[in-house]
Amino acid sequence: GFFGVRHFLNAGNGEAVQTYTESEAGRQSIQLTLAATGTIEPANQYEVTSSVQGEVLSCTFEEGDEVKKGDVLYEIDSTDAENSIEQAQISLEQSQNSYNQTLKSMDDLNVTSKKSGMITELYVEVGDEVQAGATIADVRDSSVMELEVPFNSADAANFSVGSAATVTMDSSFETLTGTVTAIDAADTVLDGYQIVRYVTIQVNNPGGLSTTSTATATVGGVACNQGANFTYRSESTITTDASGTVTSLNVSEGSQVSAGTVVATLSSSSVEQQVENSRLSLQQSQMSYENTVQQLDDYTITAPIDGTVITKNTKVGDTLDATNGQTTLAVIYDLSY
């Protein structure tokens, strides 16, 4: 068969005249062609900027170079950053020292005995308010007694510390073994123009000796000129280094304590607040130091993506300052698709 194409022609009188062109029918392809303009964009693009200031010391690329993610692009002079790190480290050390000092103040709330012995008297009760330096208790070491007796100066000159001594009790004539612990360097004149030197002898207390007990002594077979009363080797007081409220007492009169024994515990809101403030200050200094150290990494600028350097705006010798520090240093395109 055939198909016709109608044409409409104007006959001049306002009426259209139809005409037909005949052609043989056949199978053909219909084609539609479109044309338009557009912009080709890279898969990814990145503007390289700096968050720090300083002179550009090195630059490892040129425009058109292919770079890999992590490649070093720029090295910025980090002298200022290193100085900041040093200052931050000094500040951190000062904060640590301050915190250690305040912790010591907290330790002072635990009142300890510096010597061993027996608590002979307590001066405080739970709930008492005490000031720094207040006496908490008396401590007496009666396990070892001392006897200070005079010997003829000529004889004492031959004695030495550590020499054995025999002590004879005046009341019972019981003898005890002792040790010379001190010899006076100067002579003393007693009644009757006796020229003597005092010698100190220590003896272990068998249990019955007190300051009312009297005795004489011999050293190397030489007798002392006169006897004397025993004294306790050590009598001391326990005092507090901090002010506060007595919250607990761990001893009573007659208790035996060793050096370092906690006798009483105090509480102090002011000391606790100082410790907390010091702890927060140390924490802040630590964070500041860590942040300063981390900022050192910003002076080495690396490629954020794999790509091609399209633009290089900054070169070796340029200085990044407050006015141009955020300027785009370079532009990288990912042109893989």
Side-chain angles (χ1 to χ4, degrees):
F2 294 87
F3 70 87
V5 178
R6 287 190 298 177
H7 297 274
F8 295 90
L9 302 175
N10 193 326
N13 57 4
E15 295 182 0
V17 178
Q18 295 186 76
T19 63
Y20 296 89
T21 301
E22 293 184 356
S23 67
E24 185 177 354
R27 190 176 296 277
Q28 300 178 19
S29 297
I30 299 174
Q31 293 184 346
L32 178 62
T33 302
L34 300 177
T37 60
T39 302
I40 296 177
E41 294 183 352
N44 194 7
Q45 65 183 63
Y46 191 91
E47 294 183 351
V48 179
T49 60
S50 172
S51 61
V52 298
Q53 301 174 16
E55 181 183 354
V56 178
L57 299 181
S58 71
C59 174
T60 62
F61 65 94
E62 298 296 338
E63 288 184 358
D65 286 355
E66 297 283 338
V67 294
K68 294 293 185 181
K69 182 178 180 179
D71 286 353
V72 175
L73 302 180
Y74 290 102
E75 290 279 359
I76 313 300
D77 185 1
S78 60
T79 302
D80 290 344
E82 291 166 358
N83 291 339
S84 297
I85 290 174
E86 186 175 352
Q87 290 298 322
Q89 185 173 10
I90 292 173
S91 178
L92 176 60
E93 291 172 355
Q94 290 173 338
S95 295
Q96 184 68 62
N97 292 337
S98 177
Y99 180 63
N100 292 343
Q101 191 64 35
T102 54
L103 281 183
K104 185 179 182 301
S105 298
M106 184 67 80
D107 290 341
D108 290 342
L109 296 177
N110 291 321
V111 184
T112 59
S113 175
K114 293 181 174 55
K115 293 186 177 182
S116 299
M118 182 182 69
I119 301 294
T120 56
E121 188 166 358
L122 274 173
Y123 295 96
V124 297
E125 297 178 350
V126 172
D128 286 354
E129 293 283 341
V130 295
Q131 300 299 316
T135 299
I136 302 298
D138 290 334
V139 179
R140 175 188 297 159
D141 181 2
S142 60
S143 63
V144 176
M145 305 294 287
E146 290 186 339
L147 185 70
E148 188 178 31
V149 288
F151 284 83
N152 285 332
S153 180
D155 293 330
N158 296 320
F159 299 165
S160 61
V161 172
S163 295
T166 300
V167 175
T168 303
M169 304 298 300
D170 288 345
S171 58
S172 63
F173 299 104
E174 177 186 0
T175 59
L176 302 171
T177 300
T179 303
V180 175
T181 57
I183 303 168
D184 278 0
D187 293 339
T188 299
V189 179
L190 299 181
D191 292 342
Y193 300 102
Q194 301 176 71
I195 300 175
V196 299
R197 289 188 184 183
Y198 279 91
V199 176
T200 302
I201 299 169
Q202 283 188 359
V203 296
N204 292 325
N205 190 348
L209 299 182
S210 69
T211 54
T212 60
S213 304
T214 59
T216 58
T218 60
V219 177
V222 178
C224 63
N225 289 36
Q226 61 187 35
N229 287 75
F230 285 98
T231 60
Y232 298 111
R233 178 180 64 172
S234 173
E235 285 189 287
S236 61
T237 59
I238 300 173
T239 58
T240 174
D241 293 329
S243 301
T245 304
V246 179
T247 56
S248 67
L249 282 173
N250 304 326
V251 296
S252 57
E253 292 181 357
S255 297
Q256 290 290 333
V257 296
S258 301
T261 298
V262 176
V263 174
T265 302
L266 310 180
S267 66
S268 171
S269 57
S270 62
V271 171
E272 291 164 1
Q273 186 62 45
Q274 288 174 3
V275 171
E276 178 61 14
N277 291 341
S278 183
R279 185 189 69 80
L280 293 174
S281 178
L282 175 60
Q283 187 178 32
Q284 185 177 16
S285 295
Q286 180 68 41
M287 293 174 60
S288 177
Y289 173 74
E290 291 174 356
N291 289 338
T292 305
V293 171
Q294 289 175 358
Q295 289 173 4
L296 190 61
D297 293 339
D298 296 337
Y299 287 81
T300 299
I301 301 175
T302 59
I305 60 173
D306 292 354
T308 303
V309 177
I310 301 301
T311 305
K312 173 183 174 183
N313 298 322
T314 304
K315 62 185 184 304
V316 172
D318 289 349
T319 299
L320 306 179
D321 54 30
T323 59
N324 66 10
Q326 291 300 317
T327 300
T328 299
L329 309 180
V331 178
I332 300 175
Y333 281 5
D334 176 4
L335 300 175
S336 60
Y337 64 94

